[in-house]
């Protein structure tokens, strides 16, 4: 603006009748005089902004990296009798001290720092650090993984690298992910449960999404691709291997010879309100022959022990099929759910087969009572072995005798853009799909901080 006004002054001084009329230039000069104070104030503001910009550039964290974080404060307790082991009969074999509610109210936390780095403006390198003391405490105390939280830790209390994944576009319609740490199917597939799962959603691990197709049971290292044919059709596919074994060039480990998962999903959106996901996941688990190896986790840390480990640490292959849907019926109501079918096969020590199912119905209430709040209800059946011909050394069939129900309700109240408070309660009937076990209630009060 200053340069333009200076140029106008030059034109006024040298103007002739053949250029801009002197009357117009005189008018502009009068306007300049009338707005002299405003121009002076504007010049001062520009100078101040330049000073602030120089200060920001001198002290900025990075020219390419943005830091975002979140922290969870958690108070929780369970109410119910400790679950008996699958071979126990409570009336005859369970010790008396196991028939009491021995869990205490506990206070735990989890904090994460997410470094989001972009080199082109369209890509992102995610480096996620986590610290917390929220190990899967309820599994050991109450005796079943059906009580687990979606934000449970990995049994570690130090600060550690949780995820390292790089995402970049490939052409106009494709996106590629590659990462050596915690590249999971839920990273590159739409799970179609956004109104219930997520940081401000339900507390239980089972309620986050279909566990048999989106939870491999290990942290992954590999690559994935999503291709968007149109607004109504998207194809996602990926391959990941166990990142605790992928760096070892020995038999039974490495990128292709060890535990791994391959995923393909077709996401169909007939309208803006309705999304449908058709997913196939193939999982392979190599033999667990040493104490250092983690236990098998075929159903991603959810469901009964028979569903998570159908063949007692013997090499296993599973074919998992998932149907997921989400219908945003109105701006204040969403309906969704999933059905998962798993066929597991024993590769070593026998030739047995097992069938596992899980299902859920979800109801979400966005902006309930106040804009930004969220209410939700989940009713489902955690992963259950419906049929199996595998017997353990004692000759007992590794098959779930009954059916558990998971019933959950939560309400997330948004205090402001950075703080939410979520009371949550869920009930597990017949834990471990065994009617010898009494119902278990889990109560949670969670506060989320984002920054």
């Amino acid at each position: 603006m200053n340069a333009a006004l200076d140029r106008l002054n030059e034109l006024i001084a040298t103007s002739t009748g053949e250029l801009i009329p002197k009357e117009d230039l005189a008018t502009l000069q009068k306007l300049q005089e009338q707005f002299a104070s405003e121009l002076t104030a504007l010049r001062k503001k520009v100078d101040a902004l330049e000073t602030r910009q120089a200060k920001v550039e001198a002290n900025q964290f990075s020219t390419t990296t943005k830091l975002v974080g979140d922290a969870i404060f958690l108070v929780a307790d369970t109410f119910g009798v400790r679950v008996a082991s699958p071979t126990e009969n409570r009336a005859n074999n369970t010790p008396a001290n196991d028939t009491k509610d021995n869990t205490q109210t506990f206070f735990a936390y989890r904090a994460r720092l997410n470094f989001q780095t972009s080199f082109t403006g369209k890509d992102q390198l995610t480096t996620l650090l986590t610290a917390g003391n929220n190990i899967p405490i309820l599994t050991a105390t109450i005796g079943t993984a059906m009580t687990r939280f979606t934000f449970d830790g990995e049994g570690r209390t130090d600060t550690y690298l949780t995820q390292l994944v790089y995402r970049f576009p490939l052409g106009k319609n494709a996106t590629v992910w590659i990462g050596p740490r915690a590249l999971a199917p839920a990273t590159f597939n739409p799970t179609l449960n956004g109104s219930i799962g997520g940081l401000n959603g339900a507390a239980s691990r089972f309620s986050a999404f279909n566990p048999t197709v989106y939870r491999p049971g290990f942290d992954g290292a590999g690559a994935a691709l999503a291709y968007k044919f149109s607004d109504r059709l998207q194809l996602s596919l990926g391959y990941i291997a166990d990142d605790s074994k992928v760096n070892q060039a020995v038999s039974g480990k490495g990128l292709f010879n060890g535990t791994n998962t391959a995923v393909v999903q077709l996401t169909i959106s007939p309208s803006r309100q309705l999304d449908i996901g058709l997913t196939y996941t193939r999982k392979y688990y190599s033999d667990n022959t040493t104490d250092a190896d983690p236990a098998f986790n075929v159903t991603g840390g959810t469901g009964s022990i028979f569903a998570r480990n159908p063949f007692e640490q013997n090499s296993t292959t599973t074919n998992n099929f998932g149907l997921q849907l989400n219908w945003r019926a109105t701006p204040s109501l969403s309906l969704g759910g999933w059905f998962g079918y798993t066929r597991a096969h024993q590769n070593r020590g026998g030739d047995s087969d097992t069938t596992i199912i899980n299902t859920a119905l979800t109801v979400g209430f966005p902006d309930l009572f106040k804009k930004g709040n969220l209410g939700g209800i989940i009713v489902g059946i955690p992963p259950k072995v419906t049929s199996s011909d595998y017997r353990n050394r004692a000759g007992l069939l590794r098959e779930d005798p009954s059916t558990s129900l998971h019933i959950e309700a939560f309400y997330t109240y948004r205090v402001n853009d950075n703080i939410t408070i979520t009371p949550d309660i869920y009930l597990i009937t017949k834990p471990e799909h065994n009617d010898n076990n009494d119902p278990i209630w889990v109560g949670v009060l969670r506060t989320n901080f984002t920054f």
Side-chain angles (χ1 to χ4, degrees):
M1 184 177 293
N2 247 353
L5 291 174
D6 290 341
R7 179 58 180 155
L8 285 174
N9 287 330
E10 292 177 10
L11 290 173
I12 291 172
T14 61
S15 176
T16 66
E18 298 177 357
L19 200 58
I20 301 174
K22 288 187 175 181
E23 293 79 5
D24 292 344
L25 293 174
T27 300
L28 290 173
Q29 188 175 28
K30 290 180 180 179
L31 290 173
Q32 179 183 1
E33 294 172 354
Q34 291 173 3
F35 288 96
S37 60
E38 286 82 357
L39 292 171
T40 300
L42 179 61
R43 186 177 297 110
K44 290 180 180 179
K45 291 181 179 180
V46 171
D47 292 342
L49 287 174
E50 289 178 347
T51 302
R52 291 181 61 184
Q53 179 185 357
K55 185 176 181 180
V56 169
E57 289 179 349
N59 295 277
Q60 66 182 343
F61 169 70
S62 171
T63 58
T64 59
T65 302
K66 179 174 68 173
L67 173 62
V68 298
D70 64 79
I72 293 175
F73 292 179
L74 176 74
V75 177
D77 199 355
T78 62
F79 307 92
V81 177
R82 190 182 193 281
V83 171
S85 68
T87 58
E88 287 177 330
N89 181 315
R90 187 177 303 284
N92 300 321
N93 299 328
T94 305
N97 60 357
D98 280 345
T99 63
K100 300 177 182 179
D101 179 7
N102 292 322
T103 62
Q104 304 296 318
T105 302
F106 64 92
F107 187 22
Y109 75 93
R110 186 194 70 180
R112 300 188 301 181
L113 295 178
N114 189 344
F115 298 87
Q116 299 175 352
T117 304
S118 180
F119 305 100
T120 66
K122 297 181 179 180
D123 61 342
Q124 181 173 298
L125 173 66
T126 298
T127 306
L128 184 64
L129 301 178
T130 300
N133 62 357
N134 183 32
I135 61 177
I137 186 171
L138 291 181
T139 303
T141 308
I142 203 67
T144 176
M146 291 184 177
T147 57
R148 287 193 67 179
F149 302 129
T150 186
F151 37 82
D152 271 353
E154 300 179 11
R156 300 175 60 171
T157 57
D158 58 335
T159 300
Y160 60 98
L161 180 65
T162 314
Q163 187 180 55
L164 184 61
V165 173
Y166 181 55
R167 184 197 74 225
F168 61 92
L170 185 65
K172 293 183 178 180
N173 300 320
T175 303
V176 176
W177 290 261
I178 184 168
R181 170 71 172 162
L183 177 62
T187 305
F188 53 85
N189 284 298
T191 62
L192 308 186
N193 199 34
S195 61
I196 300 297
L199 191 63
N200 293 315
S204 71
R205 189 177 183 87
F206 171 68
S207 65
F209 40 67
N210 188 338
T212 55
V213 295
Y214 296 128
R215 292 192 186 277
F218 55 85
D219 287 328
L225 170 73
Y227 188 87
K228 192 172 185 178
F229 295 96
S230 67
D231 291 339
R232 297 190 175 186
L233 187 63
Q234 176 177 307
L235 176 68
S236 307
L237 50 90
Y239 174 86
I240 56 177
D242 187 344
D243 67 3
S244 67
K245 302 177 181 180
V246 72
N247 61 332
Q248 303 178 47
V250 297
S251 179
K253 298 183 180 180
L255 185 59
F256 300 108
N257 198 236
T259 298
N260 62 73
T261 293
V263 187
V264 59
Q265 175 170 309
L266 192 65
T267 305
I268 306 168
S269 302
S271 68
R272 292 183 178 181
Q273 290 73 39
L274 179 63
D275 298 308
I276 301 171
L278 304 174
T279 312
Y280 168 71
T281 303
R282 182 188 183 276
K283 305 176 186 178
Y284 169 76
Y285 299 86
S286 58
D287 291 331
N288 189 355
T289 57
T290 69
D291 293 337
D293 286 338
F296 275 26
N297 206 340
V298 170
T299 55
T302 64
S304 68
I305 189 173
F306 289 166
R308 299 194 309 276
N309 186 5
F311 307 119
E312 296 186 302
Q313 309 298 82
N314 290 308
S315 176
T316 302
T317 300
T318 67
N319 293 290
N320 308 269
F321 302 87
L323 168 64
Q324 298 77 229
L325 62 89
N326 184 45
W327 178 38
R328 295 170 292 280
T330 69
S332 58
L333 175 65
S334 65
L335 303 174
W338 67 79
F339 177 79
Y341 174 87
T342 298
R343 188 68 173 173
H345 180 73
Q346 179 184 2
N347 298 325
R348 184 184 71 86
D351 193 36
S352 298
D353 292 295
T354 291
T355 299
I356 303 168
I357 66 162
N358 85 97
T359 187
L361 295 174
T362 65
V363 183
F365 303 98
D367 300 328
L368 183 61
F369 304 133
K370 178 185 174 183
K371 186 174 180 59
N373 294 354
L374 174 65
I377 299 173
I378 306 97
V379 179
I381 301 174
K384 169 192 173 180
V385 175
T386 58
S387 66
S388 177
D389 55 7
Y390 178 83
R391 295 181 180 274
N392 62 15
R393 295 178 180 178
L396 298 177
L397 197 63
R398 205 167 174 81
E399 183 178 292
D400 292 319
S402 304
T403 300
S404 301
L405 284 179
H406 177 108
I407 305 170
E408 183 170 5
F410 73 93
Y411 180 67
T412 297
Y413 177 77
R414 184 173 293 277
V415 179
N416 54 44
D417 291 341
N418 302 99
I419 303 174
T420 61
I421 299 174
T422 305
D424 187 306
I425 187 168
Y426 52 100
L427 168 67
I428 310 296
T429 69
K430 303 177 182 178
E432 289 295 308
H433 299 296
N434 187 341
D435 56 12
N436 284 331
N437 294 319
D438 295 333
I440 297 175
W441 291 86
V442 182
V444 183
L445 181 61
R446 182 186 71 211
T447 302
N448 287 357
F449 303 87
T450 59
F451 51 91

